[in-house]
């Protein structure tokens, strides 16, 4: 297999809230076009990990590289870095006062300083990609959860990021709406986008992930390709956790 | 240091003013509370003509400045043969004005009470009047405490305009002392501090009251 | 009586000019205070909260006198500053409430796109905040117009003062006061009506403070 470019590398990331040590030395890396899925019990620090990688929530300790270049934290630099990392939220977080189109455009016009016309074309293209072109003029409150999340994905995509991070993108959705979001994510993975996804949708993980990371208590317990981690895990905790989520979410 | 000595020297005189301010506020607030209940109930449950009259009253007193209302009572009413002292005029103006505002808060509170409450009362065989008195009002009055306490503080602050028709209270005393000593800023800074303390004390009192009257699980959600 | 109407009209103009000046002044300062209180560092936040508390707690008349006697300003300017800071304090609290009712995720999402904090406030938070606070602002506008009458106390010749001048000549206080009352009702009602149109125009489906 040819050696692919490394997009993101994280080394020994630590984060505490008071005495609560949420991240206790996380290291991981993602190569171009890879999809990594993070699973783990609630309160384990999965969301914290994603927000720390993006400095939305600065880590206490640890080093992060993007495309081989180490990120040196400063207010000015970090805005540039964030442009290159898309983020899709569990609660969608669409901007309430902007239409679907406006939500996708705002990053282009305000951050990347693109002309209105150019931004609109790009935004329409991204909305089409997620099958939301018909709803371009609708406001978030007029869209279903699944539709909102697809706009959220389009908003991240429009910035042409190096990778997109998803924090439980389907867990606020009714089961019948999950499919449309997961399908879009699968499509992105197949098109070669680099994805870092926190989810408990094991069907998605098995079909799409190059690697699954099992995290607990702020540490990575086990990491490996789906065949190994799901079918043949090494650690006792991994086995127990997988049993629990198959009970909880059913097989697929 | 000299300033503090000055403040101490004028404190007794200002203290008299404070007492008048508090009396004026208390009288106006009491009047307003009674008036507000009548206006709100009249507006919501009264026959058409009463309801309309209450609405106009509220519109008028909320739509025009308090100072204009005070002038109407003190300078205007005598031409209709109604003479009030400046102090009474002030109490009337503040009471009539605040009553209109509180009536609207009360109406809002009543409307936020579940319709089922009235229905349940009627279903038990209560008359509408009893249901209002025993079921709706006790709940509405609790809801109305936060906006009402704001209105009381408003009234306290607005009593300061009573001196524009010559009533004796904190502000008028201050004006006299300031002119006499020719120390406007020193005097009014002290007056400002006194008002801040009064407002703070009232706020603390209302917070305490609100906690005391709280019913578990029964609060306005917003 | 007709010959006195121009005087009343002059008073109306002063009232409107004064009301608009300090309302807009208060609007701008109120925005800054609210944003400082929510997004500023500890010191700025505390300062803004203190400012808002003091100017909400002081009687308008006391603030008027402090500006007027303290800084030797013209009555009109003193009135704009004094009443302006007061309405700023009130408006800041509506804005702050609105900001706090906007989900935290809005700021996070804006930052995740690479917006600076300032840009996120201006482009994402403020448009939502202004919409949410419009109903309160329209109420505050009515209060503002009524508060202009207090400038009377430091010698601004607004409508109430013009009215009193006419009364000293004509001795018909009730007629004049009723005319003045109607004028106030028109200015306050008219303004709130226009603001309600603005509210409708900028309304976003499904986006409002529900209570
Ligand atoms: N802003 C914060 N302040 C204090 N503690 C926090 C904060 N954010 C998260 N935590 C704590 O950090 C721990 C990890 O939270 P995190 O949201 O990262 O977990 P998670 O793995 O994403 O869980 P879930 O599956 O429920 O989303 C939790 O114990 C949480 O209480
Ligand atoms: Mg989480």
């Amino acid at each position: 297999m040819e050696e692919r470019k490394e997009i993101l590398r994280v080394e020994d990331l630590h984060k505490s809230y008071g005495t609560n040590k949420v991240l206790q030395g996380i290291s991981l890396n993602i190569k171009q076009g890879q999809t990594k899925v993070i699973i783990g019990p609630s309160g384990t620090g999965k969301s914290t990990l994603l927000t720390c990688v993006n400095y939305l929530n600065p880590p206490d300790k640890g080093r992060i590289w993007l495309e081989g270049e180490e990120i040196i934290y400063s207010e000015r630099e970090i805005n540039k870095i964030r442009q290159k990392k898309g983020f899709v939220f569990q609660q969608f977080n669409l901007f309430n006062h902007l239409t679907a189109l406006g939500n996708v455009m705002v990053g282009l016009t305000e951050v990347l300083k693109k002309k209105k016309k150019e931004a609109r074309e790009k935004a329409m293209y991204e909305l089409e990609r997620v099958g939301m072109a018909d709803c371009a003029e609708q406001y978030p409150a007029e869209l279903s959860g699944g539709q909102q999340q697809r706009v959220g994905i389009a908003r991240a995509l429009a910035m042409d990021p190096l990778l997109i991070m998803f924090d439980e993108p389907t867990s606020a959705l009714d089961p019948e709406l999950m499919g449309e979001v997961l399908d879009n994510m699968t499509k992105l993975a197949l098109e070669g986008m680099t994805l870092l996804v926190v989810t408990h949708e094991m069907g998605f993980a098995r079909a799409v992930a190059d690697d699954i990371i099992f995290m607990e208590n702020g540490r990575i317990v086990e990491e490996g390709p789906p065949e190994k981690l799901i079918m043949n895990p090494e650690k006792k905790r991994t086995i127990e956790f997988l049993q629990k989520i198959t009970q909880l979410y059913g097989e697929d | 240091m000299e300033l503090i000595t000055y403040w101490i020297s004028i404190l007794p005189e200002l203290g008299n003013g404070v007492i008048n301010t508090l009396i004026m506020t208390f009288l106006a607030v009491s009047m307003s509370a009674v008036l507000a209940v009548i206006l709100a109930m009249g507006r919501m449950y009264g026959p058409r003509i009463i309801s309309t009259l209450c609405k106009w009253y509220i519109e008028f007193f909320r739509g025009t400045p308090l100072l204009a209302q005070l002038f109407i009572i003190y300078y205007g009413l005598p031409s209709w043969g109604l003479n009030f002292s400046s102090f009474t005029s002030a109490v009337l103006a503040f009471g009539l004005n605040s009553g209109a505002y509180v009536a609207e808060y009360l109406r809002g509170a009543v409307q936020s009470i579940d319709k089922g409450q009235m229905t349940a009362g009627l279903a038990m065989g209560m008359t509408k009047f009893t249901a209002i008195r025993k079921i709706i009002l006790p709940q509405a009055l609790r809801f109305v405490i936060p906006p009402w306490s704001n209105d009381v503080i408003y009234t306290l602050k607005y009593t300061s305009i009573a001196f524009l028709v010559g009533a004796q209270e904190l502000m008028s005393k201050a004006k006299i002392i300031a002119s006499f000593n020719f120390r406007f800023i020193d005097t009014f800074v002290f007056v400002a501090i006194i008002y801040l303390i009064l407002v703070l004390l009232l706020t603390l009192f209302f917070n305490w009251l609100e906690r005391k009257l709280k019913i578990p699980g029964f609060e306005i959600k917003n | 009586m007709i010959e006195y109407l121009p005087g009343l009209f002059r008073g109306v103009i002063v009232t409107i000019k004064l009301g608009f000046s300090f309302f807009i002044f208060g609007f701008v300062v109120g925005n800054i205070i609210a944003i400082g209180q929510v997004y500023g560092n500890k010191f700025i936040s505390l300062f803004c909260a203190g400012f808002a508390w003091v100017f909400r707690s002081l009687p308008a008349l006391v603030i008027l006198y402090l500006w007027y006697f303290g800084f030797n300003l013209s009555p009109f300017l003193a009135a704009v500053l004094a009443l302006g800071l007061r309405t700023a304090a009130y408006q800041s609290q509506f804005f702050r409430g609105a900001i706090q009712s906007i989900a935290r995720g809005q700021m996070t999402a804006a930052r995740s796109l690479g917006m600076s904090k300032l840009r996120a406030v201006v482009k994402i938070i403020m448009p939502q905040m202004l919409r949410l606070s419009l109903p309160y602002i329209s109420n505050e506008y009515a209060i503002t117009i009524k508060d202009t009458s207090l400038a009377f106390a430091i010698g601004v010749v607004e409508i109430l003062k013009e009215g009193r001048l006419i009364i000293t000549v004509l001795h018909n206080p009730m007629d004049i006061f009723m005319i003045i009352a109607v004028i106030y009702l028109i200015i306050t009602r008219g303004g709130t009506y226009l603001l309600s149109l603005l509210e409708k125009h900028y309304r976003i489906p499904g986006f409002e403070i529900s209570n």
Side-chain angles (χ1 to χ4, degrees):
Chain A
M1 216 159 129
E2 67 174 306
E3 196 46 37
R4 284 189 291 188
K5 192 167 68 165
E6 187 181 72
I7 296 289
L8 178 76
R9 183 145 69 95
V10 173
E11 245 174 45
D12 200 30
L13 213 59
H14 287 256
K15 176 78 185 177
S16 308
Y17 291 111
T19 55
N20 182 6
K21 290 187 184 137
V22 180
L23 299 182
Q24 314 192 43
I26 300 277
S27 303
L28 57 85
N29 69 75
I30 304 182
K31 298 215 167 70
Q32 188 161 37
Q34 270 191 327
T35 296
K36 290 214 174 186
V37 167
I38 303 174
I39 58 173
S42 183
T44 273
K46 305 180 297 293
S47 301
T48 308
L49 172 61
L50 294 193
T51 48
C52 278
V53 167
N54 226 4
Y55 287 86
L56 289 166
N57 196 353
D60 301 334
K61 194 183 144 209
R63 302 170 71 183
I64 301 170
W65 289 260
L66 194 63
E67 279 193 307
E69 224 174 286
E70 187 169 3
I71 298 175
I72 310 294
Y73 180 81
S74 80
E75 259 304 308
R76 180 174 288 277
E77 272 311 295
I78 201 61
N79 292 331
K80 287 207 198 104
I81 305 277
R82 284 187 190 136
Q83 297 162 21
K84 300 183 189 159
K85 298 194 214 132
F87 205 109
V88 175
F89 300 89
Q90 183 173 1
Q91 299 298 338
F92 326 134
N93 290 352
L94 293 191
F95 302 129
N96 297 308
H97 64 304
L98 300 176
T99 59
L101 181 66
N103 265 279
V104 184
M105 277 175 67
V106 71
L108 298 170
T109 53
E110 295 303 325
V111 179
L112 298 181
K113 308 286 181 202
K114 288 214 196 305
K115 294 246 161 53
K116 263 249 160 62
K117 182 162 167 292
E118 194 185 339
R120 177 182 300 269
E121 275 164 17
K122 171 82 171 152
M124 278 312 292
Y125 169 75
E126 301 299 351
L127 282 173
E128 226 151 88
R129 255 174 110 177
V130 296
M132 286 294 299
D134 290 342
C135 301
E137 293 306 326
Q138 260 148 301
Y139 286 97
E142 298 173 305
L143 300 175
S144 75
Q147 291 175 322
Q148 288 190 50
Q149 195 58 298
R150 280 146 71 192
V151 175
I153 294 173
R155 177 171 70 181
L157 276 174
M159 307 292 285
D160 287 330
L162 292 169
L163 90 162
I164 305 184
M165 298 188 277
F166 293 79
D167 189 5
E168 305 203 35
T170 57
S171 63
L173 295 175
D174 293 335
E176 68 269 22
L177 298 178
M178 287 180 179
E180 55 186 87
V181 172
L182 291 172
D183 289 349
N184 275 295
M185 291 167 60
T186 307
K187 208 171 86 191
L188 287 181
L190 295 177
E191 286 170 10
M193 177 55 81
T194 314
L195 306 179
L196 180 58
V197 184
V198 173
T199 186
H200 290 128
E201 293 306 312
M202 295 311 289
F204 170 82
R206 184 174 354 205
V208 181
D210 296 286
D211 266 326
I212 301 180
I213 297 170
F214 173 55
M215 224 180 118
E216 191 173 45
N217 296 330
R219 288 200 178 87
I220 291 176
V221 177
E222 191 169 350
E223 176 174 1
E227 314 81 71
K228 178 165 167 304
L229 196 118
I230 298 179
M231 299 306 169
N232 208 354
E234 275 172 16
K235 301 269 174 23
K236 193 162 144 279
R237 283 298 302 145
T238 319
I239 300 169
E240 286 170 1
F241 179 74
L242 285 170
Q243 273 170 357
K244 211 149 88 216
I245 57 168
T246 37
Q247 273 164 21
L248 227 62
Y249 294 87
E251 192 61 25
D252 287 345
Chain B
M1 216 46 243
E2 197 280 322
L3 186 62
I4 307 280
T5 335
Y6 173 66
W7 284 356
I8 290 170
S9 76
I10 62 175
L11 188 54
E13 192 64 7
L14 285 180
N16 279 334
V18 170
I19 288 169
N20 275 346
T21 290
L22 291 177
I23 292 174
M24 197 182 273
T25 306
F26 178 77
L27 291 176
V29 164
S30 314
M31 185 178 147
S32 146
V34 176
L35 185 63
V37 173
I38 297 171
L39 283 170
M41 295 303 125
R43 170 142 193 215
M44 277 183 294
Y45 303 113
R48 183 73 163 274
I49 172 145
I50 302 275
S51 174
T52 310
L53 280 176
C54 291
K55 194 177 160 205
W56 282 359
Y57 176 96
I58 292 169
E59 276 288 304
F60 177 83
F61 277 92
R62 282 164 43 106
T64 56
L66 184 49
L67 186 58
Q69 293 158 22
L70 178 60
F71 281 178
I72 290 176
I73 291 171
Y74 187 71
Y75 294 114
L77 287 184
S79 71
W80 290 357
L82 286 167
N83 283 292
F84 297 111
S85 73
S86 54
F87 190 88
T88 313
S89 298
V91 170
L92 281 174
F94 301 145
L96 294 174
N97 178 278
S98 150
Y101 281 91
V102 178
E104 284 296 274
Y105 300 140
L106 202 52
R107 193 167 67 96
V110 168
Q111 282 171 346
S112 76
I113 293 168
D114 184 9
K115 284 228 167 41
Q117 298 285 313
M118 184 67 158
T119 318
L122 295 177
M124 287 171 65
M126 289 184 187
T127 62
K128 200 170 162 189
F129 185 64
T130 313
I132 290 171
R133 241 169 10 109
K134 293 291 173 190
I135 310 289
I136 303 295
L137 264 184
Q139 300 186 32
L141 288 178
R142 280 198 184 79
F143 280 160
V144 97
I145 288 175
W148 175 71
S149 42
N150 271 335
D151 195 78
V152 172
I153 291 171
Y154 238 85
T155 304
L156 172 80
K157 288 185 291 171
Y158 265 103
T159 54
S160 61
I161 69 173
F163 100 91
L164 295 175
V165 297
Q168 300 281 316
E169 41 68 72
L170 176 53
M171 201 65 186
S172 62
K173 293 272 190 241
K175 192 84 191 290
I176 294 167
I177 293 170
S179 318
F180 180 77
N181 295 310
F182 222 79
R183 297 179 71 158
F184 286 93
I185 279 301
D186 295 348
T187 313
F188 284 115
V189 166
F190 192 38
V191 167
I193 293 170
I194 293 176
Y195 273 112
L196 287 181
I197 292 171
L198 291 177
V199 168
L200 189 62
L201 290 177
L202 264 182
T203 310
L204 292 175
F205 168 74
F206 283 123
N207 288 346
W208 171 82
L209 188 70
E210 214 175 307
R211 265 204 310 281
K212 216 174 129 97
L213 294 177
K214 199 169 157 128
I215 298 175
F218 179 72
E219 51 250 334
I220 292 186
K221 304 165 252 313
N222 47 1
Chain C
M1 163 119 196
I2 299 288
E3 67 271 26
Y4 291 97
L5 286 184
L8 228 41
F9 185 70
R10 262 201 317 276
V12 174
I13 299 295
V14 173
T15 293
I16 291 178
K17 234 166 69 183
L18 179 60
F20 278 42
S21 306
F22 78 76
F23 182 72
I24 289 166
F25 174 71
F27 180 83
V28 174
V29 178
N31 266 295
I32 295 169
I33 295 293
I35 288 163
Q37 194 175 345
V38 179
Y39 295 114
N41 61 28
K42 258 206 198 82
F43 176 77
I44 293 176
S45 174
L46 204 67
F47 174 83
C48 292
F51 169 93
W53 183 75
V54 167
F55 281 92
R56 274 176 17 245
S57 300
L58 285 178
L61 215 48
V62 174
I63 311 174
L64 273 168
Y65 278 173
L66 285 174
W67 278 104
Y68 183 59
F69 292 120
F71 297 94
N72 227 334
L73 302 170
S74 77
F76 189 86
L77 190 57
V80 169
L81 289 172
L83 298 172
L85 289 179
R86 204 170 93 95
T87 182
Y90 280 100
Q91 292 189 44
S92 74
Q93 297 309 292
F94 307 143
F95 293 140
R96 186 179 59 101
I99 293 175
Q100 284 168 343
S101 79
I102 297 169
R104 278 193 50 154
Q106 297 285 308
M107 185 54 140
T108 318
R111 299 304 304 272
S112 85
L113 286 177
M115 286 191 202
S116 67
K117 200 168 177 178
L118 184 66
R119 185 170 298 274
V121 166
V122 172
K123 290 290 171 178
I124 304 297
I125 302 299
M126 280 182 63
Q128 300 188 41
M129 167 195 95
L130 291 175
R131 281 187 176 83
L132 289 177
S133 33
L134 252 178
Y136 303 95
I137 294 305
S138 127
N139 193 40
E140 182 64 19
Y141 157 81
I143 293 173
T144 304
I145 290 300
K146 288 180 280 172
D147 273 351
T148 55
S149 61
L150 299 173
F152 171 100
I154 55 171
V156 175
V157 187
E158 40 65 77
I159 179 168
L160 206 54
K161 179 72 186 176
E162 291 281 5
R164 297 264 330 258
L165 292 173
I166 297 170
I167 289 168
T168 55
V169 185
L170 292 183
H171 304 291
N172 58 344
M174 270 321 211
D175 301 348
I176 297 294
F177 282 139
M178 285 307 145
I179 293 174
I180 290 176
V182 169
I183 292 174
Y184 272 118
L185 283 172
I186 292 171
I187 304 178
T188 51
R189 277 280 154 204
T192 43
Y193 175 71
L194 289 181
L195 284 168
S196 77
L197 292 185
L198 203 65
E199 217 173 295
K200 270 211 202 82
H201 179 74
Y202 283 110
R203 222 183 77 83
I204 292 172
F207 178 63
E208 56 241 336
I209 293 185
S210 49
N211 50 1

